[in-house]
Structure formats: structure tokens, C-alpha cells
Amino acid sequence: MFTKHPRPNCHGRFRPAARVATIVLVLARFAAAAPTAADPHIAAVESGLLPPARIAGRASEPWTLASRMAHYRVPGVSIAVIDNGQITWSRGYGVARSGESAPVSPDTLFQAASLSKMLTAAAALTLVDAGRLALDTDVNPQLKSWKIPASPLADGETITLRRLLSHTAGFNVHGFSGYAASAPIPTLLQVLDGSAPANSEPIRVVAKPGAGWRYSGGGYCVVQQLLTDVTGEPFPALLHDRVLNRAGMDASTFAQPLPANLAARAAAGHDADGQRIPGDARVYPELAAAGLWTTPTDLAHFILALHHSIAATGGPALLSPATAKAMITPPLAGSDYGLGLGVIGAGRNLQLTHSGANAGFRALLVFYPQLDRGAVIMTNSENGAPLATEILRAIAQTYDWPDYRVEEKSAFPLAPEAFDAFAGRYEREDTILVFYSRGDRFYLRATNRPRVEIFPSSDHQFFMLGSPDTFDFERAASGETTHVIRRTPTGAQLFPRIERPSD
């Protein structure tokens, strides 16, 4: 799965959120209790969420969507599933805004974050089909309001549309943090030059174009300026006419901030503790990179329109077959990114994918063009990414996808009495980790989190099935356990041992 997306600048602390979790659980159960008898696949997905791995020889119990929404403090989820080349169902779960009763429906708007890049790329490629842009010529002559500053790092290579859309143009600025609705909002030119009130650095060439893959929301801001300069149209109107309208995305818009009539239909973003972010959503003037408000159903319409373009099947199409095929062809050997979207695998296993992360929102799209199967999952929470992958595994199992299956892992045969050396309380800042055993099983309870079973991978290292985090216990020369190191995909933290079970 393509997951190299911009992350918002948010540093949440644990806060009591029992009320939020209760609201999520009750409303998610209410949504899941809606009639599903007409399609047993829906019930199978709702009750079949799965961890990334299970212990070999031990049956793993699937989770319900309601329980996992409560576990992650995700107030709302919206899902659309594609099977046999059609949107077979779409459904909302939970609430659009914590503290309120309005449920998420298939029409609730979410920020798509980096999934916006797919639509931006498609809009640019419609201009390629129209002969107004070219994929492999220097874009600087067609930029009128702003020019790409010269860089010695370019080493004679030009910035082309193909390189911009595939993140191989050598630009910096991975992603954007957004702006509070009440704060000054920069123009695109101010974003490009990193001038006040922009909160990101100037967008510049920092690597040789074409030499490597470097994810750059900044490069998509250059595309945004290019499209408006070439057409003379405001970006939201351009995207509406060239992509949204053609793909049947009637609920979607690139308007930032949302107009009042649409804001009433929008979900509020929530932080990692389940609290609404100030103003409910940040404003992203970097429209091409992160500005789309949409629904899973509309995104499913988009990916099907692209599929019709590739296969020339006669359905609603966005692009010529040749241009659509260029969109799903990574231009750089070894890259898994085409023009605006991730491209993984080949043949029947070929998947088109992208994930997105704006402040308060997470989104994920996967589509298999050879199998006519896929799904779009959108959440109004910064904890939405792991939940979305659990939902995706349930969909993959229910609809027989080739990927996103549960991996089998082996556990080290650690005797329960040997675990006594690690049991106890470990603390770092405002986070407490408590390790304990029940019979021959071992558990961890972290601050404000439900307990989770952990499994030994060696005589002092442990892993979890629902998380990539691992735990490495360290001992002093005396043999006494002194601390545990929690290793995550983004780093490691040391937790000193504060208390033992006998204390």
C-alpha cells in the first residue's frame, strides 16, 4: 500500500476520553445494526476486522467495526466498496462530530488530503489530451505568475509535468499543516515562496530532476500554478469541469474553506484523543496537494472513471486510453508511483492506491483494475489509518482480494514464570505501560488504552498483532530488568521500570 503521505503537525497528549469513546461505540453500533440481511457481505465486513498478523496455530477472533472505532477513538467512518466494476455498497458509521448526534452517512464530506493528487493529475492529463500541455517538456515557459527558481542541483535537467506528477522532479516540502479557519490564509504564490503568512518553507528544487523519487506536496503546488496559468481558470472551477463533473463526483469540491451550505454536510476532524480540532477543520490553500472535500462514493466514481479510461470500456471516461495508461505507469524504475497515485504489483495483482492525512482526517483508496474490485475508506480522526487497514483486511477477506491478508507469525516459547522478570509498571512523561500475565498469556495496558495481548519473539522481546510496535526489555548487570524500549515505525522511546508486582 502506498503510504508516503504528508502528516500534519499535531502533538496530542493523552486526555480522558471515556465520553468520546462511549459516543463512538453507541453510534457505531447503531449504524452497524442497520439492516444488512440483503447483503451478507456488509455484515461480514462490519464484524470481520482483522489484525495484520496472527499466531500460527491459534485462531484469531475478528473484531467488530464498532469495537475498533471505540478502541482508536475514531468518531466517524465512511466506506464504499467496488465489486464487479460497480459500487456495490456505501455506508457511514458513527458521528460526523463528537458531542453531536448527526450520524455519518454516505453523503458526509471528508477531507481527502493527499488523495487530492490523483484528481489533480487527472486534470493535468486532460490538458495533455487537449494538446495544451505536454508530459515531457519544460513547464517553466508556461508558468506565467511564478517561475521555478534556478538551482545548481538541477544539473541541466528540466522540470516536466511527468516528473512533477510522479514526485521525481526533485522538489522539497513533503506535506502541509493547514491553517486555522480564523488565521490569515496565504495565497498560492506565498506558499510557493514560503512567505508570510505561509507556514511552510519555500518550494524549491533540492535534488536532480529525474534522478530519484521524493514525495513532494510542494511539487503539486507547482502543478496547481501551472494549471491556473495555462487555463486562466480558478483551480476549484477547473477541477470541477475537468474531473469532478466528468466522473460524476456530484458531492465533491476543492473550495477551501467550505462554503456554508456544504460545511453543514461536512465531518469535523478529530485529534488522536478523539477531540475536535479547533474550527473542526483546517484550511488547505495547497489545493492540488490536499484540498479536496469528498465522499468515498465520489472517489469510487473517480477511480472507476479512470478504469474506464484505461480499458476503453465505454463507461464514463476521463482520459484517452494512452494517457490513462501513462498515468498508471511509474516513470522511474523501481518506483511504485505513477502520475498522481501509487501503482503496486502487476497483472491480476496490480493495484492503484493512495492514502491521505490532513489534520483530523485519514483516508485510503485501493483498486484492482484487473479484478474490478476496490474500496475507499475515510475517517474523521488522526487515528484513522490503522483502523482503515483493519477494515481493508475485512474487505479483502470478504471479497477475495489477493492482498491485505493476515500474516502468520511464530511466538517464542517463553514460560509464564520467565515473564515475571518483566512484569510491572514502566513510565515516561505522561505515558504509563503496565505489563502483566494471566495464566500463560501476556498483556500490556497503556495509559487510556484497553489492554492488548503481547507475544514473545525472543526471551526479552515482544510484539503485538494489531500494531507494528515492539517492546525490548533491558537488564542491568545484576540481571534485574531496568527499562523497556518501545520501538515504533517513527522511532524508539525508553520507559524506566517504576514498580514491580511485589512492590
Side-chain angles (χ1 to χ4, degrees), residues 176-187 190-191 195 197-200 256 278 281-286:
F176 300 97
S177 300
Y179 299 83
S182 59
I185 308 300
T187 65
Q190 289 171 326
V191 172
S195 58
N199 60 12
S200 52
Q256 289 269 353
R282 292 186 191 167
V283 177
Y284 289 82
E286 307 90 358

Side-chain angles (χ1 to χ4, degrees), residues 364-388:
L364 176 62
L365 177 150
V366 174
F367 180 67
Y368 291 90
Q370 297 297 320
L371 303 177
D372 290 337
R373 300 171 196 164
V376 186
I377 303 163
M378 306 188 81
T379 77
N380 59 352
S381 169
E382 290 172 359
N383 290 336
L387 175 64

Side-chain angles (χ1 to χ4, degrees), residues 57-403:
R58 182 189 295 185
S60 60
E61 295 182 8
W63 300 307
T64 66
L65 176 55
S67 69
R68 298 308 280 174
M69 289 175 67
H71 172 79
Y72 288 115
R73 297 188 181 90
V74 174
V77 177
S78 188
I79 304 171
V81 172
I82 300 169
D83 195 39
N84 294 320
Q86 298 180 340
I87 302 171
T88 58
W89 60 272
S90 58
R91 181 164 291 207
Y93 303 86
V95 292
R97 296 174 173 83
S98 62
E100 298 182 13
S101 59
V104 171
S105 78
D107 297 323
T108 301
L109 293 172
F110 292 76
Q111 285 192 347
S114 287
L115 274 67
S116 307
K117 294 178 176 69
M118 298 188 301
L119 282 74
T120 297
L125 293 174
T126 66
L127 294 171
V128 172
D129 275 341
R132 301 176 69 180
L133 286 174
L135 275 172
D136 298 308
T137 61
D138 189 354
V139 300
N140 228 8
Q142 290 185 283
L143 284 164
K144 301 173 184 175
S145 305
W146 179 86
K147 296 290 185 181
I148 300 170
S151 170
L153 296 171
D155 194 27
E157 291 289 334
T158 57
I159 307 299
T160 67
L161 182 60
R162 192 189 302 270
R163 287 172 172 174
L164 285 166
L165 297 179
S166 62
H167 299 294
T168 59
F171 277 97
N172 62 345
V173 186
H174 183 97
F176 300 97
S177 300
Y179 299 83
S182 59
I185 308 300
T187 65
L188 180 58
L189 294 178
Q190 289 171 326
V191 172
L192 288 166
D193 285 328
S195 58
N199 60 12
S200 52
E201 62 182 319
I203 295 169
R204 299 292 185 262
V205 174
V206 296
K208 183 177 179 179
W213 190 87
R214 181 189 180 98
Y215 192 93
S216 174
Y220 269 73
C221 289
V222 178
V223 176
Q224 183 177 336
Q225 189 63 61
L226 175 67
L227 298 190
T228 56
D229 280 348
V230 167
T231 65
E233 297 179 52
F235 192 81
L238 173 69
L239 267 288
H240 175 270
D241 294 344
R242 292 198 161 268
V243 178
L244 304 182
N245 190 47
R246 295 184 185 183
M249 301 178 68
D250 298 332
S252 304
T253 181
F254 276 85
Q256 289 269 353
L258 273 177
N261 64 315
L262 293 179
R265 293 173 43 203
H270 297 76
D271 65 19
D273 296 328
Q275 307 298 315
R276 284 159 70 163
I277 65 174
D280 287 346
R282 292 186 191 167
V283 177
Y284 289 82
E286 307 90 358
L287 302 177
L292 176 65
W293 282 92
T294 189
T295 68
T297 300
D298 267 15
L299 284 170
H301 282 306
F302 168 79
I303 204 67
L304 287 174
L306 176 60
H307 181 43
H308 293 315
S309 302
I310 297 166
T313 56
L318 291 170
L319 305 167
S320 69
T323 302
K325 289 174 183 175
M327 187 173 179
I328 66 166
T329 302
L332 189 69
S335 169
D336 60 359
Y337 201 92
L339 308 185
L341 75 175
V343 181
I344 301 173
R348 283 176 49 83
N349 292 355
L350 175 68
Q351 61 173 291
L352 310 178
T353 183
H354 216 299
S355 57
N358 275 4
F361 295 90
R362 297 293 186 269
L364 176 62
L365 177 150
V366 174
F367 180 67
Y368 291 90
Q370 297 297 320
L371 303 177
D372 290 337
R373 300 171 196 164
V376 186
I377 303 163
M378 306 188 81
T379 77
N380 59 352
S381 169
E382 290 172 359
N383 290 336
L387 175 64
T389 57
E390 291 175 6
I391 296 170
L392 204 64
R393 290 187 203 102
I395 295 170
Q397 177 162 296
T398 301
Y399 289 91
D400 193 27
W401 290 8
D403 303 300

Side-chain angles (χ1 to χ4, degrees), residues 1 9 57 95 165 189 255 274 296 298 310 354 410 433 441 460 493:
M1 175 195 326
N9 295 332
V95 292
L165 297 179
L189 294 178
D298 267 15
I310 297 166
H354 216 299
S410 298
L433 306 178
R441 294 198 170 187
H460 66 283
Q493 305 89 38

